[in-house]
């Protein structure tokens, strides 16, 4: 009988001997360079967990406390690294618990492969114990999904899953594997997938359109760049910086694009969108050429579409043809990977400085600083603001941290005020707005970038949606820093109730537990501050710690986030108060 | 406001379980009713063709086709207006046999509508009619007073007047 050790060398020798489907799954993951996955076992995935046990020296499995946590951890891992995040769950409820993470990864284009167990082939459709149609359920929220019912399909399908997840516009893939396929033995061999005939992940750039874009940019008097996550996913940070510096064009970002260009770069004019900066929002409706790079004109970015940049010619650099003319008409659509298209554009654009145009941004910034920013970051009132906490984190981390945020007021404040020096530093749930994202995503982010400081900034509402993942942080001693900005409210909903629902605060007051005690229950060092005099030292202490650390900051209960483009308003109708 | 009109969407795809669900989900997401749907083989070996008819605006059909084409197993998707396609539907009418002898008018309807008699049994006979929707509707209205035992109409099938730009791409697949 061959020993376990001999069996483990199978991928090296690459010879076809018979192994079980479950073991094959492990070899596929190893062949794809996976060394870490998140998941939760259960009946229909037990054969795979049995193999994970045998391979634990080469493949680390992190047991999250809920399958949703596994998906967000895998997302956080993927977003800081250049790898595909992997999550695993059993059939039925295990699989359905992945749905939120899949939807989040789908709308935020995060490469992730989820593997679920399924009842044996002969029980499919019989309403067996823990059977659910996860293929049907996950179809709208996956880039691709597939049900494996025969062991022999495993290598080809898993290879395809990884290829699809990471190529082109990335996204989540779910592979559902019936239990019989995990048990059955077959002759294993693995070949990486390099193409799928019906799938063209990266359209070839059209040089004529790039020339036209270059010409338009050179002729523009008041051009504006708005970039999104496509710059990060396309690894085009250098090209973006070169373009901005050569052309002198003011450049603004969507929250998914944040950190692709350092915050303090003189040509970085800030964030667009509902709670973005005053200048880039209002001037979107004054620019003559809008250069959109790797962004998709989400409604939170555009406000009322009928009044979005109507005066401007739009150049849209985009990898996904389905995004062209979906929301905003592109006068010049440039398809392709952003690194490639920007590289081709660079030699065609003239050096410029657009000084007068920049001065308009500076004036607008001054207005925003005087009415909003000053109060947020250097408040004079008693209560602590979220903005000053973010500023203390900036100072303590020297702008080098990856900031992981949840959803709501704290997220908008963090995106507005966090300062980034490195790319892939703003990990947040942008498109789906998934409360509960941050804590597990921070676990994944830290494990994907162990050399980086990872600070999770979370509201008191979202924190309690996935608070059980403190168990993972404790068990594996993952040194993430957790900051809960506690205003005892679902702050963003409360803000809308105040502004648009005549202060009828329906179900937005939170009656919260003692968060410090909860963290301490998980043996995580914890502190709470509620006064300004204690804030700086508390943040410094947290950052100085090399262990997991929890810091609750009790902030003003009824602060609002401004500026704000009210829902359905135009970007130029942005309110400063 | 853009006007709604009829569009025929043609989707060339791999023949995989689950793809129909994926495609129909795109219409569901936008709350658009599929007026008719037909899936068959295409002119290319091992390539399936979906023919989908919807009533919507040009902007929406553009976006929908983009999202269909984005699906991994979809090779190519097109949309056309009625002017740009040759299209037909088929229908079957099951009618009691005695009517054929008792009601002379039925024989005239059969002749004038160019319908075919598919089968004649002791109790019933079956008429098949292919054509435009309104022709089938006309025939239905004419036969209705005599009593239709069963009626069914297929989804639209269509071919384009111009060449589908996909042909060269698909030919490449054939030789792979």
């Amino acid at each position: 009988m061959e020993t376990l050790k001999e069996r483990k060398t199978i991928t090296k020798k690459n010879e076809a001997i018979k192994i079980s489907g479950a073991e094959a799954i492990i070899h596929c993951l190893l062949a794809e360079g996976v060394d870490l996955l998140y998941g939760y076992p259960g009946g229909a995935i037990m054969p795979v967990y049995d193999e994970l046990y045998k391979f634990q020296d080469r493949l680390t499995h992190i047991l999250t406390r809920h399958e949703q946590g596994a998906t967000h951890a895998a997302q956080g891992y993927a977003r800081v690294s250049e790898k595909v995040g992997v999550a695993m769950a059993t059939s039925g409820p295990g699989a359905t618990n992945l749905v939120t993470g899949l939807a989040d990864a789908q709308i935020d284009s995060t490469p992730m492969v989820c593997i679920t167990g399924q009842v044996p082939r002969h029980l499919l459709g019989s309403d067996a114990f823990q059977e659910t149609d996860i293929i049907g359920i996950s179809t709208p929220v996956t880039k691709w999904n597939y049900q494996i019912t025969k062991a022999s399909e495993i290598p080809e399908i898993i290879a395809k899953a990884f290829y699809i997840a990471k190529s082109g516009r990335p996204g989540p893939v779910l592979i559902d594997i019936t239990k019989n396929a995990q048990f059955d033995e077959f002759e294993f061999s693995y070949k990486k997938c390099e193409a799928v005939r019906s799938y063209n992940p990266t359209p070839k750039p059209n040089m004529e359109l790039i020339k036209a874009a270059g010409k338009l940019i050179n002729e523009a008097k008041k051009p504006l760049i708005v970039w999104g996550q496509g710059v990060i996913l396309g690894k085009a940070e250098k090209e973006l910086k070169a373009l901005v510096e050569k052309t002198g064009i003011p450049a603004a970002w969507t929250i998914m694009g944040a950190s692709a260009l350092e915050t303090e770069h003189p040509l970085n004019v800030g964030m667009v969108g509902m709670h973005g900066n005053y200048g880039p929002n209002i001037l979107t409706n004054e620019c003559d050429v809008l250069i959109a790079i790797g962004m998709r004109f989400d409604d939170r970015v555009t406000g009322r579409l009928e009044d979005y940049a109507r005066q401007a010619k739009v150049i849209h650099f985009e990898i996904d043809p389905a995004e062209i003319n979906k929301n905003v008409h592109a006068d010049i659509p440039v398809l392709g990977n952003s690194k490639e298209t920007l590289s081709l554009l660079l030699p065609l654009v003239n050096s410029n400085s657009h000084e007068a145009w920049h001065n308009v941004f500076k004036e607008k910034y001054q207005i925003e600083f005087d009415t909003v920013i000053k109060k947020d970051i250097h408040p004079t009132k008693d209560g602590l603001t979220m903005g000053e906490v973010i500023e203390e984190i900036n100072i303590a981390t020297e702008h080098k941290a990856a900031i992981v945020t949840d959803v709501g007021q704290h997220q908008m404040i963090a995106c507005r005020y966090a300062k980034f020096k490195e790319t892939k530093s703003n990990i947040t749930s942008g498109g789906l707005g998934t409360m509960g994202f941050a804590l597990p995503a921070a676990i994944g982010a830290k494990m994907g970038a162990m050399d980086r400081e990872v600070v999770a900034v979370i509201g008191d509402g979202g924190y309690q949606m996935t608070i059980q993942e403190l168990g993972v942080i404790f068990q594996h001693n993952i040194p993430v820093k957790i900051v809960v900005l506690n205003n005892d409210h679902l702050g963003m909903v409360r803000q809308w109730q105040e502004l648009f629902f005549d202060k009828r605060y329906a179900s937005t007051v939170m009656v919260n537990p003692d968060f410090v005690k909860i963290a301490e229950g998980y043996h995580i060092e914890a502190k709470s501050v509620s006064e300004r005099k204690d804030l700086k030292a508390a943040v410094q202490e947290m950052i100085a710690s090399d262990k997991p650390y929890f810091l609750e900051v009790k902030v003003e209960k009824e602060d609002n986030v401004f500026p704000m483009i009210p829902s359905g308003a135009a970007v130029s109708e942005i309110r400063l108060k | 406001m853009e006007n709604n009109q009829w569009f025929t969407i043609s989707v060339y795809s791999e023949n995989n379980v689950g793809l129909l669900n994926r495609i129909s989900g795109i219409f569901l997401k936008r709350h658009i009713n599929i007026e008719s749907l037909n899936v068959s083989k295409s002119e290319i070996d091992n390539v399936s063709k979906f023919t989908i008819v919807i009533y919507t605006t040009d902007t929406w059909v553009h976006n929908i086709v983009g999202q269909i084409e984005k699906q991994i197993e979809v090779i190519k998707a097109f949309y056309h207006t009625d002017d740009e396609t040759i299209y037909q539907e088929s229908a079957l009418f099951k009618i009691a046999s005695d009517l054929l002898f008792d009601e002379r008018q039925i024989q005239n309807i059969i002749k004038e509508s160019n319908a075919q008699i598919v089968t004649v049994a002791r109790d019933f006979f079956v008429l098949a009619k292919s054509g435009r929707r309104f022709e089938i509707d006309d025939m239905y209205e004419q036969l209705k007073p005599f009593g239709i035992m069963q009626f069914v109409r297929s989804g639209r099938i269509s071919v384009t007047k111009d060449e589908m730009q996909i042909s060269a791409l698909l030919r490449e697949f054939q030789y792979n």
Side-chain angles (χ1 to χ4, degrees):
Chain A
M1 216 182 102
E2 59 189 340
T3 64
L4 188 65
K5 204 174 172 188
E6 282 166 354
R7 291 281 288 253
K8 281 194 209 168
T9 58
I10 184 166
T11 46
K12 285 184 192 155
K13 287 198 286 182
N14 198 28
E15 48 186 47
I17 61 159
K18 280 199 162 188
I19 61 171
S20 72
E23 189 182 344
I25 291 166
I26 309 296
H27 288 298
C28 294
L29 294 176
L30 292 172
E32 290 295 337
V34 177
D35 52 16
L36 175 68
L37 74 159
Y38 301 90
Y40 209 108
I45 193 78
M46 282 187 68
V48 180
Y49 273 80
D50 195 42
E51 295 299 332
L52 281 170
Y53 180 84
K54 296 174 194 164
F55 283 84
Q56 54 188 283
D57 58 330
R58 291 165 67 187
L59 191 49
T60 304
H61 176 272
I62 301 291
L63 173 71
T64 54
R65 270 40 173 184
H66 187 289
E67 290 87 351
Q68 184 187 350
T71 56
H72 296 328
Q75 288 181 275
Y77 179 80
R79 292 267 290 271
V80 295
S81 66
E82 286 176 6
K83 294 174 126 183
V84 177
V86 181
M88 190 174 277
T90 191
S91 62
T96 57
N97 281 344
L98 301 176
V99 170
T100 303
L102 287 167
D104 196 286
Q106 171 85 337
I107 203 162
D108 281 348
S109 309
T110 308
M112 174 163 75
V113 170
C114 290
I115 295 172
T116 50
Q118 182 56 281
V119 301
R121 173 86 170 98
H122 72 276
L123 289 179
L124 282 176
S126 70
D127 303 325
F129 177 66
Q130 291 195 330
E131 184 193 0
T132 193
D133 171 20
I134 195 59
I135 293 296
I137 291 170
S138 67
T139 292
V141 292
T142 49
K143 185 173 174 187
W144 186 62
N145 60 5
Y146 190 88
Q147 185 174 60
I148 293 176
T149 56
K150 287 194 302 245
S152 59
E153 293 179 280
I154 287 170
E156 189 193 335
I157 295 301
I158 293 188
K160 202 170 155 184
F162 276 86
Y163 171 70
I164 289 170
K166 67 188 173 195
S167 57
R169 180 177 181 176
V173 171
L174 181 134
I175 303 300
D176 192 36
I177 309 178
T178 57
K179 202 171 180 181
N180 60 293
Q182 299 170 39
F183 277 128
D184 288 348
E185 297 205 335
F186 72 109
E187 285 189 358
F188 177 80
S189 69
Y190 195 75
K191 207 174 128 220
K192 278 206 173 194
C193 177
E194 279 158 5
V196 173
R197 72 170 193 174
S198 56
Y199 168 54
N200 175 21
T202 310
K204 287 206 172 49
N206 177 329
M207 207 53 220
E208 290 310 308
L209 289 170
I210 293 175
K211 282 181 193 160
K215 185 164 177 280
L216 197 54
I217 289 169
N218 290 336
E219 289 166 358
K221 299 279 174 280
K222 295 192 287 181
L224 172 63
I225 289 173
V226 177
W227 88 81
Q229 194 191 200
V231 170
I232 296 171
L233 293 171
K235 300 179 193 132
E237 292 93 343
K238 273 188 201 150
E239 288 74 13
L240 172 72
K241 191 173 181 174
L243 175 70
V244 168
E245 289 179 350
K246 185 173 179 188
T247 59
I249 298 175
W253 39 275
T254 70
I255 66 169
M256 294 304 291
S259 82
L261 179 69
E262 60 264 33
T263 314
E264 300 214 311
H265 192 285
L267 296 172
N268 184 334
V269 293
M271 170 172 144
V272 293
M274 186 172 267
H275 294 288
N277 291 107
Y278 186 60
N281 270 316
I282 218 160
L283 297 175
T284 294
N285 278 4
E286 290 180 28
C287 67
D288 58 356
V289 176
L290 181 65
I291 305 143
I293 307 172
M295 56 85 81
R296 60 186 179 85
F297 297 106
D298 179 270
D299 61 280
R300 286 296 194 265
V301 163
T302 63
R304 190 169 66 239
L305 266 181
E306 294 74 34
D307 293 302
Y308 180 78
R310 282 293 152 136
Q311 78 295 339
K313 293 264 186 219
V314 176
I315 305 172
H316 194 180
F317 290 86
E318 173 59 52
I319 197 166
D320 179 359
E323 292 299 344
I324 300 292
N325 297 339
K326 186 181 86 176
N327 296 330
V328 170
H329 173 76
D331 297 284
I332 304 180
V334 183
L335 284 170
N337 163 282
S338 54
K339 190 181 185 74
E340 205 181 335
T341 50
L342 294 185
S343 300
L344 292 168
L345 175 71
L346 261 175
L348 306 177
V349 292
N350 297 337
S351 290
N352 206 331
S353 66
H354 293 290
E355 213 169 306
W357 177 228
H358 263 288
N359 287 336
V360 186
F361 281 87
K362 283 178 191 154
E363 285 161 24
K364 302 291 182 200
Y365 179 81
Q366 196 57 46
I367 295 169
E368 183 181 350
F369 185 84
D370 292 342
T371 40
V372 180
I373 299 172
K374 198 163 68 181
K375 285 191 292 195
D376 276 354
I377 297 192
H378 309 292
T380 49
K381 63 181 178 185
D382 282 346
L384 288 171
T385 66
M386 294 184 182
E388 66 185 311
V389 181
I390 302 298
E391 181 64 7
E392 288 300 342
I393 295 170
N394 286 335
I395 294 165
T397 60
E398 297 170 333
H399 306 186
K400 287 180 193 154
I403 307 287
V404 185
T405 49
D406 214 74
V407 172
Q409 287 186 318
H410 74 278
Q411 174 194 33
M412 293 297 110
I413 293 288
C415 289
R416 284 176 55 76
Y417 298 123
K419 289 181 178 151
F420 301 112
K421 269 189 183 150
E422 288 179 44
T423 187
K424 293 178 182 287
S425 290
N426 187 43
I427 315 299
T428 193
S429 170
L432 197 67
T434 306
M435 287 175 69
F437 173 83
L439 189 62
I443 293 169
K446 185 68 196 177
M447 296 182 87
M450 285 304 279
D451 54 329
R452 298 196 63 189
E453 186 73 66
V454 174
V455 182
V457 178
I458 321 180
D460 49 307
Y463 182 54
Q464 293 178 80
M465 283 197 176
T466 47
I467 195 167
Q468 73 283 350
E469 305 307 340
L470 288 174
V472 177
I473 293 171
F474 155 57
Q475 183 185 345
H476 298 279
N477 194 31
I478 300 164
V480 292
K481 311 298 164 62
I482 308 154
V483 179
V484 166
L485 299 178
N486 182 5
N487 58 6
D488 287 321
H489 278 90
L490 301 176
M492 188 58 91
V493 183
R494 194 212 60 78
Q495 175 171 343
W496 283 48
Q497 288 169 335
E498 180 187 329
L499 299 175
F500 312 120
F501 292 86
D502 295 331
K503 302 191 179 181
R504 291 185 295 276
Y505 297 127
S507 299
T508 42
V509 178
M510 295 291 281
V511 177
N512 283 321
D514 182 332
F515 288 125
V516 168
K517 276 194 180 147
I518 289 177
E520 285 173 350
Y522 284 98
H523 307 284
I524 293 169
E525 198 175 347
K527 198 170 225 175
S528 178
V529 294
S530 53
E531 290 188 49
R532 187 159 294 124
K533 64 178 173 50
D534 303 323
L535 179 64
K536 184 178 275 295
V539 172
Q540 299 279 356
E541 183 185 318
M542 170 184 78
I543 298 300
S545 169
D546 57 2
K547 296 192 187 66
Y549 194 106
F550 173 83
L551 176 64
E552 175 191 37
V553 183
K554 291 189 170 164
V555 295
E556 188 76 64
K557 288 183 195 292
E558 300 197 352
D559 271 352
N560 288 336
V561 183
F562 282 107
M564 179 179 193
I565 302 165
S567 191
V571 285
S572 48
E573 292 163 2
I574 187 166
R575 288 169 57 171
L576 284 166
K577 54 191 170 189
Chain B
M1 269 304 271
E2 260 186 289
N3 288 331
N4 282 356
Q5 56 174 320
W6 292 101
F7 290 101
T8 304
I9 299 174
S10 307
V11 183
Y12 290 85
S13 76
E14 306 290 359
N15 181 15
N16 280 0
V17 177
L19 186 57
L20 174 60
N21 194 9
R22 209 165 250 290
I23 289 175
S24 65
I26 293 167
F27 296 90
L28 175 65
K29 202 161 95 167
R30 288 177 177 262
H31 201 92
I32 285 195
N33 194 28
I34 293 175
E35 299 290 338
S36 113
L37 168 68
N38 186 82
V39 189
S40 72
K41 67 182 198 176
S42 71
E43 62 272 29
I44 314 294
D45 288 347
N46 302 317
V47 170
S48 299
K49 185 174 176 181
F50 291 69
T51 306
I52 304 164
V53 181
I54 59 168
Y55 188 66
T56 188
T57 62
D58 194 63
T59 308
W60 276 51
V61 74
H62 166 88
N63 287 344
I64 286 167
V65 166
Q67 285 171 335
I68 291 175
E69 201 167 285
K70 181 168 154 171
Q71 304 308 317
I72 302 295
E73 282 141 345
V74 169
I75 298 163
K76 199 83 188 152
F78 301 94
Y79 67 94
H80 295 95
T81 58
D82 286 357
D83 297 345
E84 297 166 329
T85 55
I86 308 295
Y87 59 94
Q88 288 214 329
E89 292 171 354
S90 290
L92 295 175
F93 298 82
K94 179 176 164 183
I95 295 164
S97 291
D98 49 5
L99 290 176
L100 198 54
F101 309 104
D102 300 347
E103 302 282 354
R104 293 204 60 83
Q105 179 59 14
I106 289 201
Q107 295 194 17
N108 292 336
I109 295 170
I110 295 169
K111 271 186 216 152
E112 284 163 19
S113 63
N114 275 326
Q116 279 180 303
I117 299 175
V118 181
T119 188
V120 182
R122 183 179 301 276
D123 300 328
F124 65 87
F125 67 103
V126 175
L127 293 174
K129 163 74 187 158
S130 290
R132 295 284 179 96
R133 168 78 61 94
F134 72 87
E135 296 174 285
I136 291 168
D137 285 350
D138 270 2
M139 188 169 154
Y140 181 91
E141 290 306 322
Q142 288 180 52
L143 288 171
K144 199 178 166 192
F146 305 106
I148 299 169
M149 295 166 77
Q150 284 183 39
F151 170 76
V152 65
R153 189 180 61 218
S154 74
R156 175 186 289 195
I157 51 172
S158 83
V159 291
T160 55
K161 291 177 184 169
D162 291 339
E163 190 190 7
M164 283 274 187
Q165 301 129 337
I166 189 174
S167 302
L169 175 71
L170 287 174
R171 266 195 298 277
E172 259 174 54
F173 285 177
Q174 271 185 307
Y175 299 112
N176 279 344

